[in-house]
């Protein structure tokens, strides 16, 4: 369980909706996918230095963004599993690598983008690649749903990945 202190409302919340049993391990692995996680959730080491007692600090808005990234990745994993059944796991993994390369390109070319915007663009690119593959099976495009979920939080040019 993640114990998060929301600094803007001075309130503690407990968050259990993540895979695995070890919150620190989960956060460290999740930040490999979405580097903004370390900006959204700040670790607070306990005096005992026991990582099992670690807590986190965030603002309400940043915590909501974290939860949106987490649920977004869950959808991606489900769609990648479907794609790996249709094609194969190696093909699905290659799509993720393609999207990560595009994220790096955006970071290099669009220096004003925040880490959260770059993380959104990673999701956008993965879904675009999956959509292109699964449309052959009659699967609906997911990108309009993704854009709708993030509307109001990101600018239109980021939502649509148009620069």
């Amino acid at each position: 369980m993640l114990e998060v202190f929301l600094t803007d409302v001075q309130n503690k919340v407990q968050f259990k909706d993540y895979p695995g049993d070890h919150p620190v391990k989960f956060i460290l692995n999740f930040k490999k996918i979405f580097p903004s996680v370390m900006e959204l959730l700040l670790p607070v080491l306990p005096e005992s230095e026991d990582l099992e007692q670690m807590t986190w600090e965030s603002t309400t808005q940043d915590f909501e963004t974290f939860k949106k990234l987490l649920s977004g990745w869950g959808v991606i994993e489900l769609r990648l599993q479907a794609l790996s059944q249709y094609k194969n796991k190696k093909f699905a993994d290659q799509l993720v690598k393609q999207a990560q390369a595009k994220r790096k390109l955006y970071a290099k070319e669009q220096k004003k983008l925040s880490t959260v915007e770059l993380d959104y663009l990673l999701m956008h690119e993965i879904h675009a690649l999956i959509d292109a593959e699964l449309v052959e099976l009659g699967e609906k495009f997911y990108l309009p749903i993704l854009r709708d979920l993030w509307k109001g939080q990101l600018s239109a040019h980021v939502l649509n990945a148009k620069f």
Side-chain angles (χ1 to χ4, degrees):
M1 166 180 52
L2 290 172
E3 189 170 298
V4 181
F5 181 71
L6 301 175
T7 56
D8 56 336
V9 292
Q10 300 292 301
N11 190 23
K12 281 187 181 179
V13 293
Q14 294 181 339
F15 184 70
K16 301 174 186 171
D17 195 18
Y18 60 90
D21 295 332
H22 303 289
V24 175
K25 192 176 190 181
F26 161 73
I27 293 292
L28 292 175
N29 286 330
F30 198 53
K31 82 169 185 68
K32 292 176 186 174
I33 300 166
F34 297 123
S36 67
V37 166
M38 293 314 282
E39 298 169 15
L40 300 171
L41 288 178
L42 302 173
V44 178
L45 290 170
E47 289 182 26
S48 67
E49 296 183 20
D50 178 10
L51 293 182
E52 298 293 324
Q53 304 293 321
M54 184 179 289
T55 59
W56 308 85
E57 280 186 358
S58 188
T59 63
T60 303
Q61 183 177 351
D62 286 352
F63 188 55
E64 290 303 315
T65 300
F66 165 77
K67 292 192 303 187
K68 199 174 279 193
L69 287 170
L70 182 59
S71 67
W73 186 251
V75 171
I76 287 171
E77 284 187 330
L78 287 172
R79 296 188 83 213
L80 286 171
Q81 285 179 355
L83 185 62
S84 65
Q85 295 297 315
Y86 172 59
K87 299 273 184 165
N88 60 50
K89 182 163 175 30
K90 186 177 179 181
F91 183 83
D93 291 345
Q94 193 58 39
L95 286 185
V96 173
K97 288 178 184 171
Q98 258 183 278
Q100 288 171 328
K102 184 95 176 233
R103 182 194 192 282
K104 285 181 183 177
L105 184 65
Y106 281 135
K108 187 177 180 181
E109 293 178 350
Q110 306 293 326
K111 302 237 184 260
K112 291 185 179 182
L113 292 175
S114 71
T115 313
V116 171
E117 290 171 324
L118 290 167
D119 287 349
Y120 166 83
L121 289 168
L122 172 67
M123 286 193 301
H124 185 279
E125 188 62 23
I126 292 171
H127 283 300
L129 292 168
I130 294 172
D131 282 355
E133 294 297 326
L134 294 182
V135 73
E136 295 173 19
L137 298 175
E139 179 73 20
K140 291 182 180 176
F141 288 114
Y142 187 79
L143 281 179
I145 296 167
L146 180 69
R147 290 180 187 123
D148 194 49
L149 289 170
W150 286 81
K151 190 182 289 182
Q153 193 166 350
L154 301 172
S155 65
H157 75 277
V158 172
L159 281 176
N160 295 301
K162 301 282 185 208
F163 300 101

